Amino acid sequence: MPHRHLIAANWKMNGLKDHIPVARAIAEGSRDFHARVALFPPATLLPRLADALAGTQVILGGQDCHHADSGPFTGDISAAMLKDAGASMILLGHSERRHGHLEPCALVAKKAVAALKAGLEPIICIGETLDQRQQGLTRQVLTRQLTDSLPDDLNGARFHVSYEPVWAIGTGLIATDAQILEAFALIREFLNRRFRIQHEPQLLYGGSVNGSNAATLLALEGVSGALVGGASLKAETFLPIIAAAHTAPV
Ligand code: 13P
């Protein structure tokens, strides 16, 4: 098991340069806590945050990338560009990409290969919709997403998986302990079967995590991190989650 929780802020499409002090406050406020803290700002802020957070422990990451190294892809950003801008991690396969941009698992897998090639540590996101859960398809959907979104290139590499039930994102509705434990057991079993693990992947939960539910969540067996949307946009709401990770056993 990893020694420290990974508490990741997904700022999504939020944040102008006046948000830089928030990142500084997060870096400052989390300094004495026993957690790995990562910020995934919009790509436009990456170089500025790389400067603003230089010398701190905060990890920076991109929210998505194109699968090619470079070329005629107007509006897209390569993994190498994100790395060049200061990222060392990357989110891939977030449900807002899978559903909002109709990204299939095979494309997520190609992006993961590109991320590894550029030296970025991928966090690959999976999760079922409410319809799928209500139809009893959760295990099937998660297994298919894992099988088709995680390329063989991850063998022996550093990567992580985030379980984010689509119905729990931005709804205030967190999955139950039993639902999380079942999904994490499935993910752990899949990873151990499919990959030669050299660096223990951190398994994150995402979906309506906040300062009130983080301690219970992070104490669940096998949960080694959280991917936080709304509550990560302000230091006052994000720091309590980092503080909860400090006391929770990993
Ligand atoms: P919320 O924390 O706003 O539910 O978002 C979760 C998420 O999508 C993190 O990637």
Side-chain angles (χ1 to χ4, degrees):
M1 285 290 283
H3 298 301
R4 294 192 294 160
H5 285 97
L6 173 60
I7 307 298
N10 178 6
W11 281 3
K12 308 188 179 187
M13 198 173 73
N14 297 289
L16 302 174
K17 60 178 182 284
D18 62 3
H19 224 71
I20 293 170
V22 176
R24 279 211 200 89
I26 290 169
E28 178 64 23
S30 62
R31 214 177 38 190
D32 298 326
F33 288 125
H34 187 66
R36 297 173 79 204
V37 178
L39 291 188
F40 294 82
T44 44
L45 280 183
L46 269 174
R48 285 178 163 135
L49 287 186
D51 283 346
L53 301 182
T56 74
Q57 300 291 310
V58 175
I59 299 161
L60 287 174
Q63 297 178 6
D64 182 47
C65 68
H66 194 275
H67 64 81
D69 291 343
S70 61
F73 303 106
T74 303
D76 280 312
I77 303 179
S78 74
M81 288 169 183
L82 293 168
K83 172 89 177 172
D84 187 50
S88 54
M89 286 189 168
I90 185 160
L91 299 178
L92 293 174
H94 192 281
S95 70
E96 286 149 18
R97 304 292 319 171
R98 289 180 185 271
H99 298 287
H101 293 260
L102 303 182
E103 286 193 5
C105 292
L107 180 58
V108 177
K110 280 167 88 172
K111 292 180 177 198
V113 174
L116 291 176
K117 191 170 157 208
L120 297 176
E121 240 175 81
I123 299 180
I124 296 167
C125 306
I126 60 168
E128 81 285 0
T129 63
L130 186 58
D131 255 15
Q132 290 165 335
R133 178 161 285 277
Q134 286 172 339
Q135 288 176 47
L137 296 173
T138 300
R139 295 185 66 86
Q140 204 174 311
V141 168
L142 298 183
T143 304
R144 182 183 50 75
Q145 289 181 337
L146 288 165
T147 306
D148 296 346
S149 312
L150 273 58
D152 290 339
D153 303 56
L154 293 173
N155 242 326
R158 269 184 212 283
F159 71 98
H160 312 284
V161 175
S162 187
Y163 170 55
E164 304 206 308
V166 180
W167 48 271
I169 297 177
T171 57
L173 211 63
I174 188 168
T176 64
D177 293 358
Q179 288 168 336
I180 295 172
L181 287 170
E182 185 188 13
F184 274 54
L186 181 149
I187 297 167
R188 178 79 54 199
E189 203 261 324
F190 177 92
L191 295 180
N192 287 335
R193 189 160 27 88
R194 163 95 180 267
F195 295 106
R196 182 173 34 83
I197 304 287
Q198 270 177 15
H199 310 279
E200 197 60 45
Q202 301 209 238
L203 300 193
L204 283 62
Y205 167 84
S208 298
V209 178
N210 60 39
S212 311
N213 58 30
T216 309
L217 167 73
L218 294 170
L220 290 176
E221 169 87 34
V223 176
S224 52
L227 184 52
V228 187
S232 74
L233 291 171
K234 291 183 184 161
E236 307 88 90
T237 47
F238 192 48
L239 286 172
I241 300 171
I242 297 169
H246 184 67
T247 43
V250 187

